[in-house]
Amino acid sequence: MATITMGVTVLDCPDPRALAGFYGAVLGWELAEAPFGSELDDWAELHGPDGRALAFQRAENHQPPVWPSTDRPQQLHLDFDVPREQMDEAEQHVLSLGAKLLEGDDGGKRDFRVYADPAGHPFCLCVAP
């Protein structure tokens, strides 16, 4: 048995609560209480099913990645599975929440579309396996 297990994934961003609100609306996850029972401006965390968590940490002077580029590479991205027949609906949902389309699926020839969240992090909506 491994002594190290996966904890929370943390994204740097300029406004943790705003980005947590975006991903909370995308995934239907709830904003968790601030750690140690206090309100923090530099940290926000979402909790999902099965103990999964996604957190957001304030990074002063945050420079969002540029897609596609090696000047400011993505560093990390998130993939979200979507049933093929609901891809357009899912796209409208994330766009309405403030995402920006970076790269489409080439008219359905590829099984993913690339977006930027409101802080500029790339993420993909992928056809569910």
Side-chain angles (χ1 to χ4, degrees), residues 44-112:
E45 193 167 305
L46 297 173
H47 289 179
D50 304 320
R52 289 182 278 176
L54 185 59
F56 308 90
Q57 176 177 272
R58 181 178 311 284
E60 296 301 324
N61 303 314
H62 176 260
Q63 295 293 312
V66 176
W67 175 270
S69 172
T70 56
D71 293 334
R72 286 198 330 244
Q74 66 180 337
Q75 303 156 8
L76 168 101
H77 80 268
L78 302 169
D79 287 345
F80 301 107
D81 292 338
V82 178
R84 183 179 301 278
E85 63 276 3
Q86 295 177 346
M87 185 64 80
D88 290 340
E89 179 182 342
E91 176 175 271
Q92 289 307 309
H93 180 61
V94 299
L95 292 175
S96 75
L97 295 169
K100 177 182 172 188
L101 178 65
L102 298 178
E103 189 175 316
D105 60 7
D106 198 17
K109 293 179 185 172
R110 289 196 320 250
D111 288 340
F112 65 93

Side-chain angles (χ1 to χ4, degrees), residues 5-13 19-20 23 27 29 43-47 51-57 75-80 117 121-122:
T5 59
M6 181 69 178
V8 63
T9 298
V10 182
L11 296 175
D12 285 353
C13 60
L19 199 55
Y23 281 108
L27 296 168
W29 291 10
W43 184 269
E45 193 167 305
L46 297 173
H47 289 179
R52 289 182 278 176
L54 185 59
F56 308 90
Q57 176 177 272
Q75 303 156 8
L76 168 101
H77 80 268
L78 302 169
D79 287 345
F80 301 107
D117 68 24
H121 303 101

